[in-house]
Amino acid sequence: MYSEELIDVENGIQSKKIFWEEGIYHHELETVFYRCWLFLTHESLVPEAGDFIVAKMVDDEVIVSRQKDGSIQGFYNYCTHRGNQLCPYEAGNARGFQCNYHGWAFGLDGSLQSVPFKEQAYRKHFDQSKWGLKKVAKIESYNGFIFACADGDAPSLREYLGEMAWYLDAWTNVPGGIEFLGPPARSIMRANWKAPAENFVGDAYHLGWTHASALSVIGGPVGGLVGNDEPPPEGIGLQVTTKHGHGFGCLWDLGPTLMSDTVPEIWQWKQDHTPEIEERLDAWRARTYSGQWNCTLFPNCSFLYGTNAFKLWNPIGPNEIEVFTWAFAEKRMPEDMKKRIHSSVHRTFGPAGTFESDDGDNLEYCTQVNRGQVTRTGVMNAQMGLGEERDDPNLPGLVGDYISEISHRGMYRFYAELLDGATWDDINISGDLWKESLMKATRQDQESV
Ligand code: FES
Ligand SMILES: [Fe+2]
């Protein structure tokens, strides 16, 4: 099996080569990025007919546009004549798109609408109806978050999100929905895409150490984590992993900590709106509404709910990514509150944000050290909390302690499955079988008692 030398699921160990080697990266492009649902944008950024943004699916550009009937479509951003890039803009509103090279013009619906002096130039050997834009195989949105998938045989987005959708509903399905606050900040990081993906999926361990100085400036309840002086108290949160590698950690009650000096009324907002989440969903998810989440939706989309930063780690090679950072808020929040949330997000997790700079150094070095031929023959350890995973009857997925690496292991379990499977039929194992390999250490501990 391809993954055998790279990922040891049961023991929580990964080869360092996965952060560096060109061959593995190219295998990932086919087995991970071609096959999985990738985040494109949010519906709030394309609210009106004709609104469009140009999104990235690794190296493919996709024009995501709101159609006249209100639906969303995705077309690859190239002209079907001689293949020029069609739309050179990041976003806008248009009735259609006209190519800069010879002037072919396409409608919002992707159809080829006009070809300069078609009759004289082509005479009869040209069927205009066949030369519309190429559609992305699948495009869907979940509570306004738009994803696309290049593999027409992939499961639906809802199925792909799987158990994670149950958790996401806590804050993505609030009355009025979520709004993305303007275009993303874009920056380059010299890191493999999995370095930030695993950091966001479950690395609560680094908070007090990597971010010690930023946290000590912020103070308040998170000040206690600074410098890892003492282990964090039991039960401060939890971590979850799911079948398709998505995972998150939730730190109870401290959601808005990182923005509370710029948006002090956010605490009250959370308190005021928690009862309605409980009424709509349940008490458990209502509690997560005021928590601080770190999350990765596998493979390369991450967010911090509570801090309200939304991230895309778009690979541009085995050891480089383009980082997209959006700020988001509840649509029903007062405009002034949204404005301050926006600046708080970029102050902390924008390209020049305090926390982003702390993380950036570590993520780049975790990648770049593998330039060393011997260094990259080493392995990485994600054994924290091994044997402590719980299959909680009330919570989807597998649950572990807030400071653990169960989500890393869950992410790499699915990653390995993708690397080895030829199609979705090979990898879409049914039921809860996926939990068994992750819980092997737990089972062994139980048997030895
Ligand atoms: S390449 Fe676009 S019109 Fe020719
Ligand atoms: Fe961090």
Side-chain angles (χ1 to χ4, degrees):
M1 283 194 305
Y2 189 92
S3 74
E4 209 162 30
E5 303 290 307
L6 304 175
I7 308 290
D8 178 348
V9 175
E10 290 170 3
N11 296 302
I13 291 170
Q14 301 83 34
S15 161
K16 286 173 69 59
K17 289 179 189 166
I18 62 170
F19 275 18
W20 188 262
E21 289 204 344
E22 192 90 32
I24 296 173
Y25 175 70
H26 286 287
H27 190 69
E28 286 173 354
L29 293 184
E30 286 170 23
T31 57
V32 176
F33 287 95
Y34 178 80
R35 209 178 275 157
C36 291
W37 284 88
L38 306 180
F39 178 74
L40 300 181
T41 189
H42 190 270
E43 289 204 30
S44 58
L45 293 178
V46 284
E48 308 291 339
D51 287 348
F52 72 88
I53 65 111
V54 176
K56 294 271 187 76
M57 294 175 77
V58 191
D59 296 316
D60 289 306
E61 288 191 353
V62 175
I63 303 172
V64 183
S65 57
R66 178 78 68 178
Q67 303 294 298
K68 288 188 191 129
D69 65 2
S71 65
I72 300 280
Q73 288 283 7
F75 299 102
Y76 290 96
N77 186 20
Y78 72 89
C79 171
T80 52
H81 176 220
R82 300 301 308 150
N84 189 21
Q85 182 193 47
L86 182 60
C87 177
Y89 306 108
E90 282 182 31
N93 182 282
R95 277 177 299 169
F97 302 94
Q98 187 159 24
C99 180
N100 200 38
Y101 200 173
H102 313 92
W104 281 23
F106 301 85
L108 201 56
D109 62 356
S111 59
L112 176 56
Q113 302 219 314
S114 82
V115 171
F117 48 90
K118 182 177 89 172
E119 307 307 329
Q120 301 90 323
Y122 288 90
R123 303 192 190 272
K124 50 185 187 295
H125 294 289
F126 180 64
D127 182 351
Q128 184 171 333
S129 68
K130 293 205 168 116
W131 292 91
L133 299 178
K134 182 177 169 62
K135 266 190 189 180
V136 65
K138 289 183 168 227
I139 185 163
E140 289 176 29
S141 75
Y142 188 75
N143 293 340
F145 294 76
I146 304 172
F147 292 74
C149 182
D151 184 349
D153 296 327
S156 69
L157 174 61
R158 176 65 186 75
E159 221 181 316
Y160 178 74
L161 291 173
E163 305 95 332
M164 195 64 214
W166 187 87
Y167 295 99
L168 289 174
D169 283 346
W171 63 269
T172 59
N173 197 17
V174 289
I178 291 295
E179 179 181 348
F180 271 34
L181 306 172
R186 296 170 67 162
S187 53
I188 300 293
M189 199 186 276
R190 292 168 64 241
N192 179 272
W193 65 272
K194 295 183 289 304
E198 66 164 49
N199 176 274
F200 275 65
V201 86
D203 199 322
Y205 189 41
H206 80 291
L207 288 182
W209 191 255
T210 294
H211 300 300
S213 29
L215 290 178
S216 58
V217 170
I218 288 169
V222 289
L225 297 174
V226 170
N228 288 351
D229 286 344
E230 288 177 23
E234 289 269 319
I236 56 166
L238 89 177
Q239 199 173 99
V240 173
T241 189
T242 65
K243 182 175 166 184
H244 292 148
H246 321 304
F248 79 109
C250 183
L251 181 62
W252 300 126
D253 310 321
L254 295 176
T257 303
L258 301 189
M259 66 165 82
S260 55
D261 59 333
T262 45
V263 199
E265 68 273 37
I266 192 87
W267 295 102
Q268 192 59 45
W269 177 276
K270 297 278 177 180
Q271 270 184 19
D272 293 346
H273 293 85
T274 298
E276 83 189 18
I277 313 281
E278 182 162 355
E279 202 173 309
R280 188 169 48 83
L281 301 172
D282 49 65
W284 196 92
R285 280 178 286 179
R287 192 169 185 204
T288 68
Y289 175 73
S290 48
Q292 162 72 40
W293 299 35
N294 53 278
C295 178
T296 289
L297 301 175
F298 188 84
N300 63 331
C301 167
S302 300
F303 63 81
L304 297 172
Y305 167 71
T307 300
N308 289 17
F310 205 88
K311 296 277 193 179
L312 181 70
W313 322 108
N314 192 59
I316 45 181
N319 43 46
E320 203 166 20
I321 51 177
E322 183 173 10
V323 182
F324 291 69
T325 306
W326 293 265
F328 64 90
E330 292 181 34
K331 199 173 172 59
R332 61 186 171 173
M333 283 173 166
E335 288 307 312
D336 176 59
M337 190 188 256
K338 291 183 198 168
K339 219 165 146 183
R340 283 178 289 132
I341 289 174
H342 194 183
S343 57
S344 162
V345 167
H346 289 290
R347 190 189 59 162
T348 49
F349 281 94
T354 42
F355 286 76
E356 185 85 347
S357 315
D358 293 339
D359 287 324
D361 280 348
N362 290 333
L363 302 178
E364 290 198 343
Y365 284 117
C366 280
T367 301
Q368 296 296 331
V369 290
N370 298 303
R371 187 178 297 280
Q373 197 179 349
V374 177
T375 297
R376 66 175 172 269
T377 60
V379 293
M380 300 182 283
N381 180 313
Q383 296 184 317
M384 199 184 303
L386 197 66
E388 305 291 327
E389 301 86 352
R390 299 189 299 281
D391 196 358
D392 186 315
N394 298 314
L395 301 177
L398 278 180
V399 181
D401 292 339
Y402 176 62
I403 307 237
S404 73
E405 286 163 344
I406 179 176
S407 298
H408 289 60
R409 295 193 292 280
M411 177 177 124
Y412 285 114
R413 187 210 66 79
F414 183 59
Y415 170 77
E417 202 177 359
L418 285 169
L419 294 185
D420 294 336
T423 68
W424 268 102
D425 283 341
D426 297 325
I427 58 187
N428 204 4
I429 52 172
S430 58
D432 280 348
L433 281 177
W434 67 276
K435 293 180 180 173
E436 287 189 11
S437 51
L438 283 175
M439 293 187 77
K440 192 169 177 209
T442 311
R443 285 201 313 278
Q444 281 166 347
D445 288 351
Q446 283 164 353
E447 281 159 15
S448 65
V449 171

